[in-house]
Amino acid sequence: MSEETKLEQGLLLYLVFLDPVGSMAFRRLAISLFALWSHFCLADPIPISIPSKPSLNNVVYSNFLGISFELSFMNEYFGNDTSTIPQPMLNYLSGLRALNGPSHPIRIRVGGNSADTSTYMPNQTSPMVVLTDPNANANYQPVSYGPMLWQVLNQVAKDVGGAQYLIGVSLNDTGRDDMIVGSARQILGDSLDAVLIGNEPDLYAVHGVRPNLQNYTVDDYIGEFDTIVDQLQNTPAGNAVNGQTVAGPTICCFWDLATVLEEGYLSNFTSVLKYITLQHYPQNNCFGSYRYGLDYYLQHANVVDLAAWQQPGIDLVVANQGSGRPQLVMSEFNSASCGGIPTISDTFAVGALWTVDYALQQASVGYSATYVHTREKGISYNILTPSDDGWTTNPPFYALLATAEILRATNGSIVTDLNVENSIINTDATTAGYAVYDAQTSSIKTLVFLNFANSSAQFSLPQGLIPQNEDRNITVKYLSASSATEKYNIVWGGQTFLNVTDGKAVDFDASKLTWARQNTDVDCSNGCTIDAPGPSLAVVFLEKEATLSHSQNENHVAANGSLRIGCLGWVFGVLIRLSLFL
């Protein structure tokens, strides 16, 4: 038993048996808390084994996790023209951009089902998007839009310090894609990252998008894709596929990626493909019912299985290490398709913790980027809720901030799953972890620990993590909330958006948010123990230059190599608060 544990035990025993002042009710409460402390706070720290080198050589950057916006509702987030861009949106994106570092603009994808069914109007100005079918299915709402959309996005890129855009064009209305891409390229310039041709073509047959075909096949798709590529060679901006600027196949559900690649997609389009794109959700809520509850998202093994979807195809893409090879991108994901699941998708456990876990897992298996999806106001999985009365920050936005800071590195990062407590396959495991390596030196720069349980977890780090000639203190930052199902009481890195309406994070008030963890320095010269309250994400920065000191909420811990402030603080916090009523 450690010295800290002995101290906690002694203080609690004093309250239970010896305190002459406490009332009988207070003592009964202390006895109950002693039992809870014994159960939750005496657990041995989890030993962490860290490979000296990463298991895969997949380099990612701080802008790995981007935002996907449904085309139909771009005006809700970005206004109707360049003069009406909401300042809160710019503030949110500027904050994210600052975390990415100087060389990595934020990633934004504009598309979705609506991009496959909407009409481009070259003379349409303000409003930049207009809904055209009031009776349309809620998940397929077409709009008309014009070049004002690109002008707004170009202004956003300037205002926030850099953005790169992945835009979707239709595989249905094949007569205007050259105008769309030509206009986008002329206005966006280098901010245009790539063009997604079509959206989820493996659903075309199911959704009746190709009524004249009994079955829409991979060969049909490749033929149509080829037609669009030919069109894009002659746009108002010239040859839009001169260089690798195209992305696909953007399948989501039924087709096998390896089959698509091997049946001619890769060989026919390697010269124009910048990204091999997929879209995938763990489940759907399209028909008013769903398969998985909250517990599914709290099991790391499920994230591992989810990221392994299309594994043979992923292996084909990753194995191709040639110059100019197409990179693997998840162009859309979230917790459940068709808008998510209220009381699940909008919680801290799913929107924040699960999103970070899934993003890092994708980085560990070969993805170069991934985009979390957002739709119209009222959708449960959205990253933000815009309003004229003030914007609201939802759990997934915290995931964007945390992931950016986790992966921030001058040389790029390589992510490896640490398989904490066999969590890769053990669905009973309540913890998980990742190591993040410098892409050039293979040195370990960041460790990430997830605790999905309601009780604290301790992670024991080995000696030798920090070179002898460097500062022995490491910095720990927390993504935490008052509970797993919380929506707004959330803190990342000492800051919160709670009660913030303008998109600018503020330092949290430790006297009010007693559950929130401060940024903490720990002496790890001889190994150390990192505490992660339940539920939370603890990020251990081994390199000082990797951290951003943007919060005043920092706590410098004594150099005993242990950080176990959760159990004792929680117990006495409860005692003090409840004693006022006894």
Side-chain angles (χ1 to χ4, degrees), residues 406 434 436 444-449 459 461 465-466 473-478 492 520 522 524 528-531 537-543 546-547 563:
I406 288 168
Y434 295 91
V436 182
I444 305 164
K445 67 183 191 65
T446 306
L447 297 172
V448 180
F449 298 111
F459 302 90
L461 304 188
L465 284 177
I466 305 171
N473 282 342
I474 60 176
T475 298
V476 185
K477 294 188 177 183
Y478 292 94
W492 160 246
T520 308
V522 183
C524 207
C528 52
T529 299
I530 303 300
D531 181 72
L537 173 85
V539 183
V540 181
F541 295 95
L542 303 179
E543 299 177 358
T547 66
L563 176 59

Side-chain angles (χ1 to χ4, degrees), residues 498-514:
L498 180 64
N499 299 323
V500 169
T501 60
D502 63 357
K504 294 182 178 180
V506 297
D507 291 345
F508 74 86
D509 185 344
S511 66
K512 295 180 179 179
L513 304 185
T514 55

Side-chain angles (χ1 to χ4, degrees), residues 147-167:
M148 179 59 70
L149 174 60
W150 317 134
Q151 293 174 26
V152 167
L153 294 180
N154 187 52
Q155 188 61 49
V156 168
K158 294 178 180 178
D159 290 344
V160 305
Q164 60 183 55
Y165 298 106
L166 187 63
I167 66 169

Side-chain angles (χ1 to χ4, degrees), residues 65-66 282 294 297-298 333-336 340-359 372-374 379-384 393-403 450 452 479 481 483-488 490 537:
L65 180 56
L294 182 65
Y297 299 92
L298 301 179
F333 82 90
N334 212 305
S335 53
I341 305 165
T343 73
I344 294 178
S345 300
D346 50 3
T347 63
F348 169 74
V350 178
L353 290 186
W354 177 84
T355 300
V356 173
D357 193 12
Y358 187 33
V372 60
H373 196 50
T374 249
I379 293 297
S380 60
Y381 61 41
N382 284 354
I383 64 168
L384 303 167
T393 311
N394 300 325
F397 191 76
Y398 288 91
L400 284 157
L401 300 177
T403 304
L450 295 113
F452 298 107
L479 176 61
S483 71
T485 56
E486 178 57 46
K487 297 181 180 181
Y488 309 116
I490 302 171
L537 173 85

